[in-house]
Amino acid sequence: CRPDVRNDVRAADIVIPSLDAADVRTFKALNRPHRRLHHDRMIEGLADFRRSFQGELRIEIMLVAGINDSESALQALREAVRHIRPDMVYLNIPLRPPAEADVVGPRTERLRRAWQLLRDICPVEQGFGSGKRIRADMDVESLRRLARSHPLTSERAIEMGVSEADLDLLADRGALGKMRQGKDVFLTDRSEE
């Protein structure tokens, strides 16, 4: 974590950095970092930031099956979180289509284990909640803008206020595409294709 970046975000009320790996092997496998970026310096930078930051620091952890959900990877994350001392941890799993087709969330027992390891350090919440928290009155253009950067399911779009008739119309016109990820089908904006 660069000192100039830490200084720039110090005035924020809430800062939510990601920390998906706390050991070298997992960090390289999951994040594919630039060769000059080292996980230990990143963790130490977050800990330094925590010591001087007066706002709320929440850490976001994305768990991926077979990459950072092993016992050793979870223990390393636990120690990193203990060192950083955030106010809260959000546990996430891949819900939208990832860049790699074989990326999936861990099994329920691995999520429970991560929760158990972290909850005695700080509060832990799931970061994959209902779309109603995002926006309850989304119009068609807002949906298209959202789908451009964050594909979402038809069910989620309907929860957010878009009618099923509007979804069908956009699909018929070719403005929305569909992408399968596991058992879910996601809507994507096709206006820039």
Side-chain angles (χ1 to χ4, degrees):
C1 224
R2 293 176 15 199
D4 60 322
V5 174
R6 290 196 308 258
N7 193 47
D8 287 347
V9 297
R10 205 172 309 278
D13 294 326
I14 300 171
V15 175
I16 310 174
S18 293
L19 177 69
D20 302 322
D23 63 89
V24 176
R25 185 192 61 77
T26 307
F27 182 68
K28 286 181 178 179
L30 191 60
N31 296 307
R32 299 178 185 162
H34 186 276
R35 58 182 161 70
R36 291 185 5 212
L37 185 61
H38 300 280
H39 81 286
D40 53 343
R41 290 201 322 238
M42 185 181 71
I43 291 168
E44 198 54 47
L46 288 170
D48 286 346
F49 179 70
R50 167 75 281 176
R51 286 189 278 277
S52 62
F53 181 54
Q54 300 300 308
E56 194 170 330
L57 181 67
R58 303 173 186 175
I59 299 286
E60 185 175 59
I61 298 174
M62 173 77 70
L63 293 177
V64 177
I67 298 180
N68 67 344
D69 66 339
S70 68
E71 186 64 22
S72 62
L74 293 177
Q75 289 287 348
L77 281 168
R78 173 190 166 94
E79 290 312 308
V81 168
R82 182 187 308 276
H83 181 59
I84 296 167
R85 297 182 4 255
D87 296 292
M88 178 182 292
V89 167
Y90 290 119
L91 276 180
N92 292 314
I93 60 172
L95 290 178
R96 294 184 296 268
E100 303 281 336
D102 60 344
V103 169
V104 295
R107 299 174 64 103
T108 303
E109 65 267 12
R110 299 314 303 157
L111 284 171
R112 283 192 190 119
R113 180 62 177 150
W115 193 292
Q116 291 168 345
L117 288 171
L118 296 169
R119 69 179 176 198
D120 65 330
I121 299 169
C122 64
V124 179
E125 288 190 12
Q126 69 179 31
F128 40 95
S130 166
K132 291 178 185 174
R133 289 188 225 163
I134 299 171
R135 186 168 175 183
D137 61 347
M138 181 161 290
D139 60 34
V140 171
E141 283 310 308
S142 296
L143 167 72
R144 290 181 67 192
R145 282 192 303 274
L146 178 62
R148 194 170 299 137
S149 60
H150 297 287
L152 68 162
T153 63
S154 297
E155 293 81 15
R156 185 66 49 100
I158 291 167
E159 282 179 352
M160 297 167 77
V162 178
S163 72
E164 199 164 344
D166 283 339
L167 290 176
D168 291 340
L169 183 63
L170 287 169
D172 291 344
R173 289 182 180 165
L176 283 180
K178 293 186 178 181
M179 176 188 303
R180 181 168 288 286
Q181 172 66 25
K183 63 181 173 133
D184 296 314
V185 176
F186 290 83
L187 303 173
T188 59
D189 179 53
R190 298 181 70 184
S191 63
E192 295 185 353
E193 290 183 359

